[in-house]
Amino acid sequence: MEREVKDTDGITWTCVQAYTGLSDGIQDQNAAQVKGTDDTYWVVCTPSGGAKSVRLKLQGEWETSYSDEALLGKIAAQQQD
């Protein structure tokens, strides 16, 4: 579960669902799920440049359901918090 998006500054963000690779798929999903929220998962996005990684709460099939612009918008909003 990995996705890359590139912002207007030329930074490539690699987003991966948290806890990926700890165990089999179902247990990864359970570990990454936001407690108390159905179908919402923690996703960590790491930049190729000097910016800091961000942790996002994304819903459902985030790797296919969010447009690049929507995902970049979530990253930008988290950077301002």
Side-chain angles (χ1 to χ4, degrees), residues 1-3 13-20 32 41-47 52-58 62 71 75:
M1 294 184 198
E2 180 176 299
R3 179 161 170 204
W13 290 86
T14 303
C15 299
V16 179
Q17 190 161 300
Y19 306 109
T20 297
Y41 302 92
W42 290 113
V43 175
V44 177
C45 296
T46 304
K52 292 182 181 179
S53 294
V54 297
R55 185 172 139 181
L56 307 173
K57 282 194 253 185
L58 300 177
W62 65 270
L71 193 52
I75 291 168

Side-chain angles (χ1 to χ4, degrees), residues 12-79:
T12 300
W13 290 86
T14 303
C15 299
V16 179
Q17 190 161 300
Y19 306 109
T20 297
L22 288 181
S23 57
D24 66 35
I26 298 298
Q27 288 177 325
D28 287 348
Q29 287 277 25
N30 291 338
Q33 189 165 10
V34 176
K35 300 284 186 236
T37 308
D38 288 336
D39 202 31
T40 302
Y41 302 92
W42 290 113
V43 175
V44 177
C45 296
T46 304
S48 61
K52 292 182 181 179
S53 294
V54 297
R55 185 172 139 181
L56 307 173
K57 282 194 253 185
L58 300 177
Q59 294 184 339
E61 300 288 323
W62 65 270
E63 61 272 21
T64 57
S65 64
Y66 286 85
S67 68
D68 286 356
E69 293 79 17
L71 193 52
L72 289 168
K74 295 273 189 186
I75 291 168
Q78 187 63 33
Q79 286 179 304

